[in-house]
Amino acid sequence: MAWFKRQSGELDPSGEKKIRTEGLWVKCEGCRQIIWKKDLEENLNVCPKCEKHFRIDARTRLAQLLDNGEYEVFSEKLVSTDPLKFVDLKPYSERLKRAQEETGLNDAVINARGKLNGRPVVISVMEYGFIGGSMGAVVGEMITRAIEQALEQRQSLIIISASGGARMMEGVLSLMQLAKISAALAKLDEARVPYISVLTDPTTGGVTASFAMLGDLIIAEPGALIGFAGPRVIEQTIRQKLPPGFQRSEFLLEHGMLDAVVHRKEMKSYISRALDFMTPGIVESAAS
Ligand SMILES: [Zn+2]
């Protein structure tokens, strides 16, 4: 009878995984070792044993990149109005409220001004913990405002993506953001202000299809999932098995979709060197 035998040897490792945040120990999904949470945090949330890059929230990211962890946020007051009064398993308005309580943000992105090794930069960081980092009208507007701010101040723009794509609860309004952001980026490009796009795990859907892939320099963290449609959808459409590592940073680098794959520890100095090259002579003060 079935309950005497184990039907398959391994637990199913597929499907959405979450980083466990409770307790003092964390199990790494890369090497399956148990890591002391404090060790992990001190190592910028990268597994000290196998270098797997854990997902981090937007505030941690800003603190890692900007000098002394100091920055000034802007356009943080925008809030979604739930224009379609959308209801799936539960009302969109409820999802929004819950995400706002959990993250302390109004929507899935933080806009900030700060300095990166002494250079003034405008930076937008997406928050995956807010409805999967999805892009609705507010995220679209905030990213557009960050681009406009960079254009106005002639300061380099950095966008850190972490997103499941467009926010389906806002229907076509979320899709319109792709065009709006792309148009704003075209103006930034004409004005010759640099834009560095950093792709983190995961960057998919409408975000990949618009601003994430429009950077003057496009870099990604190791092992990040980057794609448009998910692998299952593609396999069903083309009726072929996809190669191993498909849609991961290293695969995309090999196929010319990315400029570099950069370890989290080197991210700040890498961006700083890139800005040195792109905008020589704008360092304002001594770097930390
Ligand atoms: Zn590991």
Side-chain angles (χ1 to χ4, degrees), residues 28-33 35 47-52 54:
C28 173
E29 280 154 11
C31 59
R32 298 178 170 216
Q33 299 224 38
I35 320 160
C47 173
K49 288 159 186 158
C50 74
E51 306 288 313
K52 179 188 162 63
F54 283 68

Side-chain angles (χ1 to χ4, degrees), residues 243-263:
F246 179 72
Q247 289 185 326
R248 295 283 162 185
S249 312
E250 295 72 15
F251 187 93
L252 269 80
L253 178 69
E254 220 172 280
H255 291 80
M257 299 287 283
L258 297 176
D259 294 308
V261 174
V262 181
H263 195 286

Side-chain angles (χ1 to χ4, degrees), residues 82-143:
D82 187 11
L84 305 180
K85 306 281 171 250
F86 192 89
V87 179
D88 50 278
L89 291 174
K90 53 181 169 177
Y92 173 44
S93 56
E94 253 174 53
R95 283 185 195 278
L96 271 174
K97 212 172 135 216
R98 181 134 181 245
Q100 284 160 351
E101 283 165 6
E102 279 173 5
T103 59
L105 299 174
N106 275 339
D107 218 305
V109 68
I110 299 180
N111 276 356
R113 277 180 290 255
K115 282 188 183 161
L116 195 148
N117 284 349
R119 292 173 172 280
V121 290
V122 175
I123 181 164
S124 271
V125 186
M126 300 191 77
E127 174 57 67
Y128 189 73
F130 195 109
I131 319 185
S134 53
M135 175 172 60
V138 171
V139 170
E141 180 61 22
M142 282 182 71
I143 288 183

